[in-house]
Amino acid sequence: MSIKRRTFLGLIGAAGVTVASTGARAAGNAHFDGYPGSKGVLFDATRCIGCRKCEAACNAVNELPAPAEKFDDLTVLDRSRRTDAKTFTVVNKYETPSGGPVYRKMQCNHCLEPACASACFVKAFAKTPEGAVSYDASVCVGCRYCMIACPFNIPTYEYDEPLSPRVRKCTMCRPRILEGRLPGCVEACPKEALTFGTRDELIKIARKRIEKYPDRYLDHIYGEREMGGTSWLYISGVPFSQIGLREDLGYASAPELTSGALAAVPVVAGLWPALLGGLWAINKRKEKIARQEKREAVENAVARASAEAESKLSAALSKAEVENRRRIEVEVKRALEEAGLNDTKEEG
Amino acid sequence: MSQESTASTAPRKSLFTPFNVVAGVIVLVGLVITFLRFTKGIGAVTNLDDNNPWGIWISFDLLCGVALAAGGYTTSAACYLFGLKRYHSAVRPAILTAFLGYALVVFALHYDVGRPWRLTYPIFLSQGTTSLLFEVGLCVFLYLTVLFIEWLPAACEWLRLDKLRKVLVKLTLVLTIFGVVLSTLHQSSLGALYLIAPSKVHPLWYSPYLALFFFVSSMFAGMSMVLFEGTLAHRNFHELMDETHLEEAPGVVTGFAKACSVVMCGYLIMKMFGLALENKWHYLATGYGVLFLVELIGFVALPAYLYAIGARERNRTLIRFTAVWTVLGIVFNRFNVSLVAFNWQLPSADRYFPSWMEIAISLFVVTVGVLAYRFICTRMPIFYEHPDYKESH
Ligand code: SF4
Ligand code: SF4
Ligand code: SF4
């Protein structure tokens, strides 16, 4: 009994270890604040003029195919666009109730605890120490779960590629950063709407701007905590929901959302076999008992039957004997009687 | 064309039954689309896009496929673990359908993922253990193997591989337990896939209990599917069934109906708790709320009630009708979670609707399954016990 109990506790312990080692960081209260010194970009919506220079630069540095409309064609701003397999960043125009259009650049936000990375079942995505979330096409299966998972709808897919489609998204120009250069879009921005630096610095810069111009900015840095925090940060003069940044995402990171379900795995794997095995054993025993009872019942029945049969037989035999004897007696009697009769006749 | 190809493969009489002709056409169309898919890309045959990366190949072929193949673990658990020996004759057909079902799920995934030849990467090359999809993949892979081994005895009897069969039959208990564990894990994980996207799934369907909902509903999905297939099989393969099968069938039908009814009531209560705990009642007054209520009342509460009546009155016609209804309800639920509720906040122009070619491929996959089922049932001891192996289990 006590040994069983120990095995059981052991299973629970093993389960705990497995949870801890799955890398689902959020299983406990641990919160990942990003690699120290990791880089990011701050976007200032009050400075962006929607010139699309960043789009052009991004296209050039990433050697993407030329788009249908030229980058100096600003009429594309009249419709809402998103990233696609040939476009890592787009600037959208938003008409706001407070008057005047506001522009916002959209690209991968390089989350601190990326949903895409947490969702990928071959670890194709990784949060690099430099800050960029990288993607490795050489292991990608193309399940597109990363696209389901990303709360910002960023990853895109090469649907028209029959044999070697890849997921495509902004790289934060990681190759350039490693060379000590600025991301293409940051370098190209004529209005300094994009600022590159370590994430900690950027948050300080953003705070300072908000403090200095309280009328110009809302007191909120988008990305500081959203979805566990992102490396691309935003400040704006209008509510973020008006420039296409959802404010209902919450502060929980993606791994936190799934840690419960993941933690259940070892528990199920550990407890189920024990429970089911026990159930089986109980039923087996029940069956055995049932079978035994049945056998006993049959045996009893047989015994009873045979006893009955025996007694019947002996009864029959004795009856037969009696009858036989009777018959003999009767015969004898009759014979005697006949003889006697004759005797008496003769006598008489 | 289709007639030629079918006619040449089997020179027997009456090949041009309506079923064969329709199946032939579907298979042919499927092959053409397959060619397109692997020469022109996923984009050429589907309506998938960057906002809607998963379409009906995931909703129907994966989510519904796996849920409806749950009959394998429910039936074998009932028979071997819960000691309900009278279900024995139902186990083989259920295992066969589950095996085919899972095989088809994996087959269908080859169309959907970008590079299908890498489907084993997550298991052997680079394990993304933080992903619920990893769990699904691993469990489906293992469970497919388990089902294959569970089905092998039938093939062994057909091919007369006695020794192998003996070894396999000894494994029954271990395999059954393993199968239940794996099923629990991946049935629930399919629901948990959506946990990571609370901002995209409508609150009525998003719930921290998604995993539990998917698991519990898989139980009655699987049992209803066993009942539904039973109906079809009795119509088409009656002459193949032996006396044990025919004698046990009514018991299985009412037994499963009762079980379904109970589980569905539990499911209903859980769903209600889900709403109450997060206080989501006010969503019921919206359009999505109507859909949610139709799903819950029309496809869970109603069949639960009908099953109960059917079981009490031993009305097998009613039970069989209810089984079909429940199966439809499961499809409805999986579609609601993965398509209707998913991306509900996007403007309707950005929403997904399947292309006819996606539907054709799903039909193609189902047809291949039915053909394989027929092939196996008419050749191997599925509905009857092989006379030589009668007493040996
Ligand atoms: S924004 Fe999306 S794609 Fe970029 S890191 Fe975050 S989850 Fe990944
Ligand atoms: S599509 Fe590729 S990168 Fe995205 S989750 Fe699947 S395997 Fe990972
Ligand atoms: S960081 Fe590089 S990849 Fe990303 S949007 Fe800017 S230029 Fe494009």
Side-chain angles (χ1 to χ4, degrees), chain A residues 108-111 114-116 133 150-152 154-155 169:
Chain A
C108 174
N109 285 329
H110 300 278
C111 311
C116 56
V133 172
C150 173
F152 304 105
I154 291 302
K169 73 169 194 68

Side-chain angles (χ1 to χ4, degrees), chain B residues 78-352:
Chain B
C79 175
Y80 297 125
L81 300 179
F82 290 76
L84 304 171
K85 285 280 150 32
R86 65 202 152 98
Y87 289 178
H88 194 268
S89 60
V91 172
R92 273 220 176 151
I95 291 284
L96 172 64
T97 0
F99 170 54
L100 287 177
Y102 277 86
L104 291 173
V105 164
V106 175
F107 173 61
L109 282 179
H110 283 72
Y111 288 83
D112 188 71
V113 305
R115 308 198 208 196
W117 43 91
R118 289 182 172 179
L119 268 173
T120 52
Y121 274 25
I123 299 165
F124 298 114
L125 189 77
S126 173
Q127 295 83 4
T129 47
T130 54
S131 172
L132 279 154
L133 193 62
F134 170 75
E135 201 194 314
V136 171
L138 184 64
C139 290
V140 167
F141 169 76
L142 290 174
Y143 189 46
L144 185 59
T145 318
V146 167
L147 282 171
F148 178 69
I149 304 175
E150 285 186 307
W151 164 80
L152 264 188
C156 286
E157 288 170 17
W158 182 49
L159 300 170
R160 316 222 133 246
L161 302 169
D162 288 5
K163 273 196 196 130
L164 179 61
R165 182 188 170 281
K166 253 197 198 129
V167 178
L168 292 172
V169 167
K170 287 221 179 79
L171 291 176
T172 306
L173 174 67
V174 177
L175 288 176
T176 306
I177 292 187
F178 201 38
V180 176
V181 172
L182 291 171
S183 297
T184 311
L185 289 178
H186 71 261
Q187 293 286 0
S188 56
S189 297
L190 282 176
L193 282 181
Y194 291 90
L195 284 181
I196 204 163
S199 59
K200 296 187 186 177
V201 180
H202 189 281
L204 279 175
W205 281 275
Y206 185 90
S207 158
Y209 309 108
L210 260 177
L212 195 63
F213 293 163
F214 267 56
F215 172 58
V216 174
S217 57
S218 83
M219 292 188 219
F220 57 80
M223 286 189 276
S224 299
M225 199 62 192
V226 170
L227 292 175
F228 173 52
E229 280 158 21
T231 320
L232 295 182
H234 273 272
R235 194 169 298 156
N236 295 305
F237 302 113
H238 195 87
E239 70 280 3
L240 290 174
M241 298 175 177
D242 65 2
E243 255 167 51
T244 327
H245 191 106
L246 292 175
E247 259 168 37
E248 288 182 353
V252 172
V253 170
T254 40
F256 269 15
K258 220 182 280 170
C260 277
S261 175
V262 172
V263 178
M264 287 170 100
C265 287
Y267 177 73
L268 202 65
I269 294 170
M270 274 190 256
K271 281 283 231 187
M272 288 302 164
F273 262 111
L275 284 188
L277 283 178
E278 294 180 273
N279 200 9
K280 286 177 174 167
W281 300 107
H282 59 283
Y283 286 109
L284 289 180
T286 64
Y288 281 99
V290 174
L291 208 62
F292 183 84
L293 287 177
V294 168
E295 181 193 313
L296 218 54
I297 296 174
F299 287 98
V300 182
L302 178 66
Y305 177 66
L306 293 182
Y307 266 140
I309 294 189
R312 200 181 52 202
E313 295 176 356
R314 305 196 177 281
N315 183 342
R316 280 154 64 194
T317 322
L318 178 63
I319 293 177
R320 296 200 154 130
F321 161 80
T322 313
V324 177
W325 193 247
T326 310
V327 167
L328 288 177
I330 287 292
V331 175
F332 189 52
N333 167 259
R334 298 307 193 253
F335 271 60
N336 277 345
V337 172
S338 59
L339 292 180
V340 179
F342 191 80
N343 273 341
W344 68 288
Q345 284 177 320
L346 288 188
S348 54
D350 289 344
R351 299 295 303 272
Y352 160 89

Side-chain angles (χ1 to χ4, degrees), chain A residues 300-345:
Chain A
N300 279 346
V302 168
R304 218 178 307 130
S306 62
E308 229 165 73
E310 227 164 79
S311 66
K312 232 186 232 165
L313 185 69
S314 61
L317 276 181
S318 55
K319 200 172 160 201
E321 221 171 292
V322 170
E323 267 172 15
N324 246 1
R325 213 176 315 143
R326 282 267 289 279
R327 209 174 56 230
I328 293 170
E329 268 168 27
V330 169
E331 295 273 301
V332 171
K333 213 174 173 185
R334 200 188 304 149
L336 284 177
E337 260 170 26
E338 265 170 27
L341 198 75
N342 289 345
D343 280 357
T344 44
K345 262 188 190 165

Side-chain angles (χ1 to χ4, degrees), chain A residues 22-24 82-85 115 117-123 137-145 147-151 153 155-157 159-166 227 246 248-249 254 257-258 261-262 264-265 268-269 272-273 276-277 279-280 283 287, chain B residues 37-44 48-54 80-83 85 112-119 121-122 125-135 173 177 180-181 184-185 192-200 206 215 342-343 345-346:
Chain A
T22 50
R82 60 155 290 158
T83 53
D84 61 44
S118 158
C120 179
F121 69 162
V122 289
K123 292 193 291 196
S138 73
V139 291
C140 172
V141 181
C143 66
R144 305 188 294 282
Y145 187 35
M147 299 166 67
I148 294 278
C150 173
N153 279 331
T156 69
Y157 202 60
Y159 285 108
D160 295 327
E161 196 62 50
L163 295 177
S164 55
R166 294 167 295 176
M227 286 303 288
R246 290 182 62 170
D248 58 352
L249 296 180
L257 295 168
T258 52
L262 285 171
V265 174
V268 170
W272 242 196
L276 295 172
L279 194 65
W280 171 80
N283 280 317
E287 246 170 58
Chain B
R37 153 69 184 86
F38 288 103
T39 51
K40 297 256 154 45
I42 300 173
L48 297 175
D49 59 31
D50 292 328
N51 286 327
N52 302 288
W54 284 359
Y80 297 125
L81 300 179
F82 290 76
K85 285 280 150 32
D112 188 71
V113 305
R115 308 198 208 196
W117 43 91
R118 289 182 172 179
L119 268 173
Y121 274 25
L125 189 77
S126 173
Q127 295 83 4
T129 47
T130 54
S131 172
L132 279 154
L133 193 62
F134 170 75
E135 201 194 314
L173 174 67
I177 292 187
V180 176
V181 172
T184 311
L185 289 178
L193 282 181
Y194 291 90
L195 284 181
I196 204 163
S199 59
K200 296 187 186 177
Y206 185 90
F215 172 58
F342 191 80
N343 273 341
Q345 284 177 320
L346 288 188

Side-chain angles (χ1 to χ4, degrees), chain A residues 53-55 57-58 61 89 105 173 183-189 194 232:
Chain A
K53 291 264 173 12
C54 54
E55 287 187 33
C58 180
V61 301
T89 187
K105 179 178 177 300
C173 287
C185 53
V186 176
E187 196 177 69
C189 180
L194 294 164
W232 210 288

